[in-house]
Amino acid sequence: MKKLPALYNNLKSLFLLLWSHGMGKIGLVLICLILVAALFSAHLGTVNPQNAGKREEILQAPSAAHWLGTDDLGRDIWSQIVFGSRVSLAIGLITAGLMSL
């Protein structure tokens, strides 16, 4: 149990160090946005990212229906990014947890 106060102090020091620099603030904000996108991916995704689109939807530019456009199979790029962030964060957290043991 002595690890928790030390971990808290280390995280607090890291946060204060990052927050004191302009680029650190930008990085923290981006990380928070990615966390929010991962947590609420079911609500933020416009469509199922695995569904292939219609022929007319292949390589479309960004629009109201597809915020970042579509790929060469007509899949929504925004939904792929949002749903993919969950997997990336889970792998990162599991790895960090295993490395701290």
Side-chain angles (χ1 to χ4, degrees):
M1 284 295 171
K2 288 188 175 188
K3 284 187 174 184
L4 286 179
L7 177 64
Y8 173 76
N9 288 334
N10 288 340
L11 288 175
K12 183 179 175 183
S13 297
L14 176 65
F15 177 79
L16 291 174
L17 176 69
L18 289 174
W19 197 252
S20 66
H21 293 82
M23 293 300 284
K25 286 179 187 176
I26 292 171
L28 284 174
V29 168
L30 289 175
I31 289 172
C32 289
L33 287 174
I34 291 171
L35 284 171
V36 168
L39 291 173
F40 298 106
S41 61
H43 304 291
L44 293 175
T46 54
V47 295
N48 184 344
Q50 295 303 317
N51 287 349
K54 300 173 187 163
R55 175 175 265 190
E56 305 85 43
E57 294 179 339
I58 293 175
L59 297 175
Q60 278 191 343
S63 65
H66 303 287
W67 296 350
L68 294 178
T70 60
D71 64 4
D72 58 341
L73 296 176
R75 297 176 298 193
D76 186 52
I77 294 173
W78 167 252
S79 294
Q80 289 180 5
I81 291 171
V82 169
F83 279 89
S85 66
R86 293 188 310 179
V87 176
S88 298
L89 286 173
I91 290 171
L93 291 173
I94 290 169
T95 303
L98 290 175
M99 296 301 289
S100 67
L101 294 177

